[in-house]
């Protein structure tokens, strides 16, 4: 009896030994699959994120004295887009691709003549930064050719500068030849551009050259600056080419005098003209007779 019983136990043990290992393999597979999916989810967006990263930062532009770093950065980062999108009118001779290839030169502060120079109280400094609003400018160059100027002013609300494109190629070429320390001066009444170097005023654009053919000592040219400032009250925007109108007011005193004299002369002429027929009729009457002695119609004989 013991033989069959002994033989039966190992057989039972053999059947019961591998039974727990059956369900463990699928569970491990599920766990590994979940871990793999989690890794894919974590690492999957990485290539797409890498593609969307910005390109290399543009090189900083040279900047003259007084140009804030934020303004120089704006010219470097936003200036090219402004040239492409806003330059179609002023840079009409350039295609879209050419405008995209335009390079921006050194950024300068726009200056104006000082009150001390205008009043001849103090010739140094001759210029000061433009205010209300502040303004900056940079030449635009395509290849080796100057094609225009990019202006930017500072809004009152502290927002980003406002861009303005000008096709003033001659001014841009002159700006390229200036040292960073040389001022870029906007003569507001004239709407011309000058610089001052070594005590001399030099014109930079055609409008300025019409008033100053070459270099002139600052103390000599000051009187012309003074005359323009006196004749043109107020200020004009860059590029307008026209001064502000004079403040409203009545005519000058000499105008009233001239009008009064003209009225008197006209009145005297009218009186003389009316008296001439009366005097002529009196001269034609015979001596000793007048209108009082004429017989009335219907008088008795």
């Amino acid at each position: 009896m013991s033989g069959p019983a002994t033989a039966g136990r190992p057989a039972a043990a053999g059947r019961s030994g591998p039974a727990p290992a059956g369900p463990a393999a699928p569970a491990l597979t599920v766990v590994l699959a979940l871990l793999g999916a989690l890794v894919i989810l974590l690492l999957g967006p990485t290539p797409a994120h890498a593609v969307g990263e910005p390109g290399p930062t543009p090189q900083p532009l040279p900047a003259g004295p007084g140009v804030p770093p934020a303004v120089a950065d704006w010219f470097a980062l936003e200036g090219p887009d402004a040239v492409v999108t806003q330059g179609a009118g002023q840079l009409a001779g350039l295609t879209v691709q050419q405008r995209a290839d335009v390079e921006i030169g050194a950024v300068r502060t726009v200056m104006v003549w000082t009150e001390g120079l205008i009043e001849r109280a103090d010739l140094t400094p001759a210029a000061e930064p433009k205010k209300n609003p502040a303004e900056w400018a940079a030449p635009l160059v395509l290849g080796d050719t100057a094609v225009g100027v990019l202006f930017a002013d500072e809004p009152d609300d502290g927002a980003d500068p406002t861009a303005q494109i000008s096709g003033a190629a001659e001014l841009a070429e002159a700006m390229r030849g200036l040292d960073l320390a040389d001022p870029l001066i906007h003569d507001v009444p004239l709407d011309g551009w000058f610089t001052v170097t070594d005590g001399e005023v030099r014109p930079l654009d055609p409008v300025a050259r019409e008033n100053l053919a070459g270099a002139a000592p600052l103390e000599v040219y000051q009187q012309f600056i003074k005359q323009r400032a006196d004749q043109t009250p107020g200020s004009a925007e860059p590029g307008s080419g026209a001064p502000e109108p004079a403040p409203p007011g009545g005519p000058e005193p000499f105008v009233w005098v001239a009008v009064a004299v003209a009225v008197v002369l006209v009145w005297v002429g009218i009186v003389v003209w009316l008296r001439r027929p009366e005097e002529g009729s009196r001269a034609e009457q015979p001596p000793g007779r007048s209108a009082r002695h004429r017989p009335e119609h219907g008088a008795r004989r």
Side-chain angles (χ1 to χ4, degrees):
M1 296 179 59
S2 61
T6 304
R9 282 196 295 270
R15 289 193 301 270
S16 60
L28 180 61
T29 303
V30 172
V31 171
L32 293 176
L34 292 175
L35 291 176
L38 182 60
V39 171
I40 293 175
L41 290 176
L42 293 176
L43 301 180
T46 303
H49 180 70
V51 172
E53 289 183 355
T57 303
Q59 294 295 325
L61 298 175
V67 178
V71 172
D73 292 342
W74 181 91
F75 272 83
L77 296 173
E78 306 296 336
D81 290 340
V83 173
V84 173
T85 57
Q86 302 181 28
Q90 297 296 331
L91 306 177
L94 304 182
T95 64
V96 176
Q97 183 58 48
Q98 287 175 324
R99 295 200 301 272
D101 295 337
V102 167
E103 296 181 355
I104 300 176
V107 184
R108 300 176 180 274
T109 300
V110 174
M111 314 283 281
V112 293
W113 303 116
T114 62
E115 290 295 330
L117 174 72
I118 295 175
E119 300 298 334
R120 204 178 178 82
D122 188 5
L123 302 183
T124 305
E128 61 185 0
K130 179 180 177 291
K131 299 178 181 178
N132 300 322
E135 190 173 15
W136 304 273
L140 303 176
V141 182
L142 179 61
D144 195 35
T145 304
V147 295
V149 180
L150 172 61
F151 293 95
D153 57 20
E154 183 180 31
D156 297 335
D157 56 3
D160 291 338
T162 303
Q164 180 181 356
I165 308 295
S166 170
E170 294 188 39
L171 174 60
E173 184 62 31
M175 292 171 62
R176 296 178 66 194
L178 296 178
D179 293 335
L180 284 179
D182 295 338
L184 175 65
I185 305 172
H186 182 217
D187 190 306
V188 175
L190 182 63
D191 197 17
W193 295 87
F194 297 86
T195 189
V196 176
T197 56
D198 299 328
E200 291 185 331
V201 181
R202 301 177 184 274
L204 297 180
D205 71 333
V207 176
R209 280 191 287 271
E210 290 179 359
N211 290 264
L212 180 63
L218 179 60
E219 59 271 14
V220 174
Y221 194 67
Q222 180 274 340
Q223 58 183 329
F224 300 100
I225 300 173
K226 169 68 172 174
Q227 291 176 1
R228 288 197 294 269
D230 292 341
Q231 295 173 1
T232 310
S235 62
E237 293 298 326
S240 64
E244 292 286 338
E252 298 292 338
F254 71 87
V255 176
W256 290 114
V257 174
V259 171
V261 172
V263 171
V264 171
L265 292 177
V266 171
W267 177 252
V268 171
I270 293 175
V271 171
V272 172
W273 181 78
L274 291 176
R275 290 177 59 87
R276 288 182 61 187
E278 181 180 353
E279 294 177 354
S281 62
R282 292 180 180 180
E284 293 176 357
Q285 295 179 2
R289 298 190 62 181
S290 64
R292 294 193 303 269
H293 301 287
R294 292 178 183 175
E296 296 181 358
H297 292 286
R300 294 181 182 179
R301 294 183 180 180

